[in-house]
Amino acid sequence: MSLLLLIPLLPLIGFAINGLAYPKLSKSIAGIVGTIPPLVAFVISLQLFLNFDGQTQIIQLADWIKVADLSIPFAFQIDALSIMMLLVITGVGTLIHLYSMGYMAHDAGFGKFFSFLNLFIFFMLILVLGANFTVLFIGWEGVGLCSYLLIGFWNQKNSYGDAARKAFIMNRIGDLGFLVGIFLLIQEFGTTDYQTIFSTIKDGTEVGNIGLIAFCLFIGAMGKSAQIPLFTWLPDAMAGPTPVSALIHAATMVTAGIYMVIRANALFELSPEVLHFVGWIGLATALLGAAIGLFQNDIKKVLAYSTVSQLGYMFMGLGASAYTASFFHVMTHAFFKALLFLGAGSVIHAMSDEQDIRKMGGLKSKMPITYLTFLLGTIAISGIPPFAGFFSKDEILAALYHHDFAMWCLAILGSALTSFYMFRVFILTFWGDFRGTEKQAHHLHESPWSMTIPLIILAVFSVGGGLINLPHFAGGNEFLAHWLAPILPEPHEVGEVSFFSLEMGAPLVAAFLPAIFAIYYFGIQKAVPGNDESVQGIQKVIYRKFYIDEIYDFVFVRPIQVLSTFFAQVIDFLVIDLIVEGVGKTVKTASDEIRKAQTGNVGYYIFMMVLSIALILVLTLRSRIL
Amino acid sequence: MAAIVKWENGIKHWATGISVIQLFALIYAGTEFDQSATSFQWKEELQWIQLPLGSLGEFVIKYSLGIDGLSFLLIALTGFISFLAIINSHSIQEKKGAYFSLVLLLNAALMGCFLSRDLFLFYVFFEFMLLPMYFLIGIWGGPRKNYASIKFFLYTLIGSLFILIVMLGISLAYIDPYETAKHLGLIQEGQNFDLEALKNIQTAIANKEIANYDLVHSFDMQALSDVNNCQTTSILHPNSGWLLNGMSARMWGFWLLFIGFAIKLPMVPLHTWLPDAHVEAPTPISVLLAGVLLKIGAYGWLRTAIPFFPKEALESANIMAALGAISIIYGAYNALAMSDLKKLVAYSSVSHMGFVLLGIASFHAEGWQGAIYQLVSHGILSSLLFLVVGVLYERTHDRQIDHYSGIATLMPRFTLISGIAIFASLGLPGFSGFIGEFFSLLGAFTSPYIHPAWAVLGAFGILLGAGYFLWTFQKVYLGKTQVFNSDWKLPDLNRLEIFSLFSLGILSILFGILPQLILDWSKYFVSNFLTTLH
């Protein structure tokens, strides 16, 4: 078990070395020091995976906190779910570290970057390894910190700092919900341990507030996994270096919300209305993200909205209790979205930091590896068989078909939008003629091996990732479903599907048709989106992201600013201090008046003295007589 | 003359030396302290004043000290923060002798406060803090020092007045059975007093078997915490039926004490002295003020207001919780509007001390442990934040947030420690701020005595905290490097600053990762107290 401890410990050590030695350590050493921890952690995870016997193991490291009757151990849980997450985090993490060695090679903050990346991996591992909600919460907030640090990595630019701050604060809104959820768990169960809580539920013990708990936990997931209404931070988070977008804002951190819901599936299963809510929020987010993605011209923004949308799909699956399908999509999405982001990074690297697809085009010949891998990623995300995305998305859709027909129809629509915007981006970037400047054209080159190797590996997984849970009708054995079965509720029976049914046919049409249309419109007609001013009408509303940022600013941010100024300038300064100073002034005025009695005239004093004695005498005698 | 000048230069070393000795004494005390003991340890008791008042009985005032877990945490904090304040006093160039004497006097008064077991003695120390503080702000302060020091003085004086009223009233009403027994010759000096003997004396007093002039009144906090010691004829007796504005005398007593100490905390709306005092005070005095002085407020509640009037306190739990939640939110809102770095930190203190009140109002073990933890954590973090502000102020004599931008490139080490201070203060797990806030809120949320809505409202303070801290961090440290005045020199931290700032930062991380280091100290105090309370 000591090997297991190394998994989170190694990235922590990497963080410490690179953090303390920065900037003295040379870039090549810093890169190696940063990349080895996730690599070794991956090897250990792989070994854990191969030797796993299906038994959940709890490794208690320390008592950590004991307060009154509440005890919170610092413990790790090894089970089917956490092992799968370990593989994704360390596997994709290693590739992205490797990629970063090339991508960040010219950056002055190289060592600092790797140190932050390692810290992120550490917290992400704590998040999935934790055996109770409190340890999960530590990882949860920790990855939020790393996300802040990495989005604002180039913090000289103020808008990047704004994006980082927005991400942290929006996540914190979700975290408040999560925190209240934890409080409720402690109130109802007296603990935050997964095992105790879930076995209490399974025993059929009556516990109150389950629905409220599930709802509060889901608020946390909304923040972390960028769901409506807390999604606007994710597109802005693209201010960070591209490897960060790939690792944190596509493959791992943003899927923490889905991980958490799957982890707490016992709670959610008992509250169908919350699950229903989860599903519809997911659907709305999927459609909104896809719609905004249609008209964006920044290559990373498109991918960001696509991530928002894909996360929506995962929540839709959860809403239909299709936990395996959602987790399957978490995994395949980690492959193809990381691939797409890294491909985009490769393009941006070659284009000297240009991100506007209107100024790209024709990169196919200059960057063959990037081109080919990006194409594979595009096909995978569009849901074209037999690529990975097809199987995972199809499984979610199949669950929806039997769960709620209306949701299924809308999900198919979202799927069609996805296919269109992805092919649009792909064609505008790689096909046609180059639309950039002379200088950029001169500089165009394929990226170094440290960047292309991760692309190739991820492309392989994007193509073949479906094998993890290949359905029976395609000759597979549904490995993932069997693997996760012990921690999930009994799956609903889904009948055999025929290839020619509506259920099977519609997703295929939704994948192919928009792709063909995009190829025709952007590839053959060579249409290029006009400049920002030419966008009009509804298209402008969508291009401007439905003005949601502006609405939030008006409804939430401004009132808070106004109220804070009001409190400071009016209540504190005018009301409270005026009263305080008023009391002071009154006392002073009164004492000025009373002081006048001190005349300095001895005769006057004696007179007052005699008068007082007489008064006291009278009063005393009166009380004696009565 | 020359000798005086030389002595003035050396005085800082003297003061440092004394505070180092104090630190060693504290470390020794910490190792010898028995955490599992239920009563005070290392008691020291001397008769101080004996005042026979004929038919009113006899008054006894004792010089009585002792420590338990709660006291120890706070004296350890006082010792460490005083040490840091003294070594960071290099900006003080005038009247050094007077300055360091006053700082040490303040240190003595604080220690006395946290150690006293006699209410009168406590009050004397409590009042004694006023004097050095008034002069430290009034002489070495900034441009509006007169306004700030008088405001501080008057606010605190009014609080003291309330405390004085209750102190006199309650000692008149209560009879100390132990002292009475001693007076009657039933037990000898230093002899133990078992529960049965105590009951016997109490019954004898209640049945008026003991002559009036033999009754002994004292200010012993333990005696005052037992309602059975109250004379039946007094309006403070639970059955007296005396009402004023619908409130019993005991309720009045509780609220007068509560408000007296709430001014020190400070609780909204009694907080407006704090920002002014902080802005005008020199850095080390701000550090002492925020790091230690504010803790007296909560300490006073835990030692006097609540144990003296437990039933009344429990009945008022909801109002207390509301005031706590309002302090959290109101303080945070005000911090958002500040343009002066020091005022921002001052208002963040108001917000963070609100968590203490909320935790105490829960009357629940988690909440109390959290509140006491938060006292220590805030002591560390507010000291760190004020030192951070001091680092900038010393270099530029300017605290306007918008006069700075992007100083991260100029002062990378300073940026690192400021980042730690800010994330610790906004309650990120792994830092001490998280544990204090988490358990205060948890206690308030799960407590049967208060409505959970107050905890939820308080939790929004965490969100607002992230707002103003990150905004400030971005404005001052991040962005394009640009400062208001191009003549400003902004060298990175020197060795003394690195030591002071990082030792606090490391403590915050240490206590955040191993919270039991603090929680174990307060464990027995809290569990004993709450069992007797309920």
Side-chain angles (χ1 to χ4, degrees), chain A residues 412-430:
Chain A
I412 294 286
L413 172 68
S415 183
L417 296 177
T418 308
S419 175
F420 178 78
Y421 69 68
M422 279 315 300
F423 272 92
R424 169 178 176 268
V425 147
F426 167 73
I427 292 162
L428 287 171
T429 307
F430 292 100

Side-chain angles (χ1 to χ4, degrees), chain A residues 113-173:
Chain A
F113 182 78
F114 272 87
S115 137
F116 288 169
L117 271 191
N118 271 208
L119 186 66
F120 168 76
I121 297 276
F122 166 73
F123 277 122
M124 194 67 210
L125 291 170
I126 293 288
L127 194 160
V128 297
L129 279 171
N132 58 54
F133 283 99
T134 317
V135 176
L136 178 122
F137 188 71
I138 294 169
W140 190 270
E141 288 255 295
V143 290
L145 167 71
C146 298
S147 165
Y148 171 85
L149 294 171
L150 286 163
I151 295 170
F153 189 73
W154 291 313
N155 54 43
Q156 295 282 86
K157 204 166 163 185
N158 222 349
S159 62
Y160 289 7
D162 286 339
R165 197 156 49 92
K166 184 173 174 186
F168 193 86
I169 289 174
M170 282 217 142
N171 267 292
R172 270 251 150 149
I173 298 174

Side-chain angles (χ1 to χ4, degrees), chain A residues 584-599:
Chain A
K585 287 219 179 78
T586 315
V587 171
K588 194 166 177 297
T589 320
S591 59
D592 279 348
E593 290 302 315
I594 295 169
R595 198 180 57 189
K596 287 175 188 158
Q598 309 277 330
T599 52

Side-chain angles (χ1 to χ4, degrees), chain A residues 158 165, chain B residues 401-407 469-480 482:
Chain A
N158 222 349
R165 197 156 49 92
Chain B
I401 293 171
D402 50 10
H403 286 180
Y404 296 90
S405 172
I407 63 169
F469 274 126
L470 290 184
W471 175 77
T472 309
F473 190 65
Q474 190 185 344
K475 277 265 170 189
V476 175
Y477 297 87
L478 311 181
K480 224 170 117 227
Q482 202 169 24

Side-chain angles (χ1 to χ4, degrees), chain B residues 22 75 78 82 101-116 125-126 128-129 132:
Chain B
Q22 191 182 50
I75 57 171
T78 310
S82 302
S101 318
L102 286 171
V103 170
L104 288 176
L105 194 62
L106 182 62
N107 170 283
L110 286 164
M111 288 285 179
C113 251
F114 292 133
L115 291 172
S116 302
F125 282 126
F126 185 78
F128 222 84
M129 290 183 318

Side-chain angles (χ1 to χ4, degrees), chain B residues 200-275:
Chain B
N200 287 338
I201 294 276
Q202 281 175 341
T203 335
I205 295 167
N207 297 339
K208 305 208 187 302
E209 286 162 21
I210 299 171
N212 267 352
Y213 49 80
D214 277 334
L215 294 175
V216 182
H217 302 266
S218 82
F219 292 89
D220 188 282
M221 289 189 189
Q222 201 183 341
L224 297 177
S225 303
D226 187 349
V227 70
N228 295 323
N229 291 335
C230 188
Q231 285 174 301
T232 42
T233 48
S234 164
I235 54 167
L236 278 173
H237 195 272
N239 299 334
S240 74
W242 185 92
L243 289 176
L244 176 63
N245 286 349
M247 264 161 69
S248 71
R250 292 184 71 80
M251 203 46 122
W252 276 100
F254 171 73
W255 278 100
L256 285 175
L257 275 184
F258 180 84
I259 290 171
F261 288 111
I263 289 173
K264 264 264 140 46
L265 191 71
M267 181 191 82
V268 173
L270 308 169
H271 65 284
T272 58
W273 62 272
L274 185 82

